[in-house]
């Protein structure tokens, strides 16, 4: 079974500083990877996804992630964060059990941006 | 135009009661899911339905029963509510046949059992 590890449960950072949220996955076969964001009291929104092609993926709100197959990582980055980026961030990997597909989520990283 | 909607947004009830949460998606997807998010924000899948047929049923008490009247709706019924059922419940949908399983989430229902 696939698994996703988000190494940091909380990441505090000052406004306009760069940030990296780390994600490692377990699969050794073709993978499809996602980052979702959950703003306070809201549902999950897709930030970006890696399906194939370029290993650098750009998403909404200035975020990007790099797929690194040799390190089985998919870290999320933003060069300059805003207060409004304060949210919970979830990394996920696609998994198939027979003919049924699903997403396996990490435990989430809480990004707190301080003024 | 809401893609995945849930009602109610908040639900406060007493232990032992029976309650339902409704979910509807207008994306034309065939697969719908229910997730439970606990106080530590951990997301756990509960059920998956593909075109009204139950596909995934994780280790969930049988007090929880999903019902899908059509492929656009997946409702969650909970009988004999317990304190530990307090959580945020998310509905999601995806289109099978796509290898990557991208899912679209509803806004969530915060259930508080007193």
């Amino acid at each position: 079974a696939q698994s996703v590890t988000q190494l940091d449960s909380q990441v505090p950072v000052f406004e306009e500083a760069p940030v990296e949220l780390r994600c490692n996955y377990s699969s050794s076969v073709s993978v499809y990877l996602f980052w979702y964001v959950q703003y306070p009291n809201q549902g999950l929104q897709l930030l970006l996804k890696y399906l194939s092609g370029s290993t650098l993926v750009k998403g909404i709100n200035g975020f990007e992630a790099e797929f690194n197959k040799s390190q089985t990582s998919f870290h999320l980055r933003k060069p300059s964060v805003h207060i409004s980026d304060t949210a919970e961030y979830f990394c996920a990997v696609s998994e198939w059990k027979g003919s049924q597909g699903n997403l396996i989520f990490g435990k989430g990283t809480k990004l707190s941006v301080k003024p | 135009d809401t893609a995945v909607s849930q009602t109610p947004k908040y639900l406060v009830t007493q232990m032992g009661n029976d309650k339902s949460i409704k979910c509807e998606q207008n994306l034309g997807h065939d697969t719908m899911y229910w997730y439970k998010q606990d106080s530590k924000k951990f997301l756990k899948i509960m059920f998956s339905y593909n075109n009204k047929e139950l596909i995934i049923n994780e280790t969930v008490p049988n007090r929880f029963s999903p019902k899908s009247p059509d492929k656009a709706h997946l409702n969650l019924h909970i009988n004999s509510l317990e304190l530990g059922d307090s959580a945020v419940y998310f509905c999601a949908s995806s289109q099978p046949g796509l290898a990557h399983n991208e899912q679209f989430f509803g806004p969530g229902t915060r259930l508080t059992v007193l």
Side-chain angles (χ1 to χ4, degrees):
Chain A
Q2 303 234 22
S3 66
V4 175
T5 302
Q6 291 183 243
L7 295 165
D8 306 301
S9 59
Q10 296 188 55
V11 173
V13 65
F14 286 106
E15 195 174 18
E16 297 184 6
V19 71
E20 179 180 83
L21 306 184
R22 297 179 291 169
C23 172
N24 288 87
Y25 62 92
S26 64
S27 174
S28 60
V29 296
S30 296
V31 291
Y32 305 103
L33 294 156
F34 303 82
W35 276 99
Y36 282 85
V37 59
Q38 183 180 23
Y39 297 106
N41 299 313
Q42 294 187 29
L44 276 74
Q45 177 182 358
L46 183 69
L47 204 54
L48 49 79
K49 60 189 176 188
Y50 171 77
L51 304 182
S52 65
S54 173
T55 57
L56 184 63
V57 181
K58 294 191 182 298
I60 61 172
N61 300 337
F63 282 92
E64 63 182 30
E66 185 155 18
F67 170 61
N68 188 320
K69 188 174 181 179
S70 62
Q71 297 189 7
T72 60
S73 68
F74 191 53
H75 300 332
L76 181 70
R77 302 186 184 101
K78 186 169 182 177
S80 175
V81 294
H82 301 288
I83 298 286
S84 59
D85 292 324
T86 294
E88 193 86 22
Y89 291 79
F90 293 92
C91 182
V93 64
S94 179
E95 177 183 71
W96 284 86
K97 288 182 180 178
S99 60
Q100 180 59 32
N102 195 16
L103 291 181
I104 306 301
F105 284 89
K107 293 190 175 182
T109 297
K110 183 174 183 177
L111 175 64
S112 299
V113 182
K114 304 175 182 180
Chain B
D1 200 17
T2 304
V4 183
S5 59
Q6 294 179 229
T7 53
K9 189 171 175 60
Y10 300 97
L11 184 54
V12 181
T13 188
Q14 300 285 335
M15 269 198 314
N17 284 349
D18 303 337
K19 290 294 178 184
S20 294
I21 306 172
K22 294 185 177 181
C23 177
E24 176 181 3
Q25 54 94 5
N26 62 8
L27 297 168
H29 290 166
D30 288 337
T31 304
M32 296 182 72
Y33 309 82
W34 276 108
Y35 287 86
K36 179 180 181 180
Q37 186 177 47
D38 62 23
S39 58
K40 295 184 178 179
K41 300 292 186 180
F42 182 58
L43 274 167
K44 179 181 177 183
I45 188 165
M46 301 173 69
F47 301 102
S48 165
Y49 260 76
N50 188 13
N51 201 13
K52 303 198 311 177
E53 180 182 350
L54 180 64
I55 302 298
I56 292 176
N57 182 354
E58 295 295 323
T59 308
V60 176
N62 57 15
R63 299 182 294 103
F64 291 80
S65 56
K67 291 205 172 32
S68 181
D70 55 63
K71 75 172 192 178
H73 295 83
L74 182 62
N75 303 324
L76 183 65
H77 300 276
I78 316 171
N79 295 324
S80 303
L81 278 155
E82 301 177 357
L83 292 176
D85 297 332
S86 295
V88 181
Y89 292 84
F90 287 101
C91 177
S93 73
S94 71
Q95 185 57 34
L98 297 177
H100 50 73
N101 297 318
E102 177 182 345
Q103 294 180 14
F104 296 77
F105 284 79
T109 296
R110 182 176 294 276
L111 171 65
T112 303
V113 182
L114 303 175

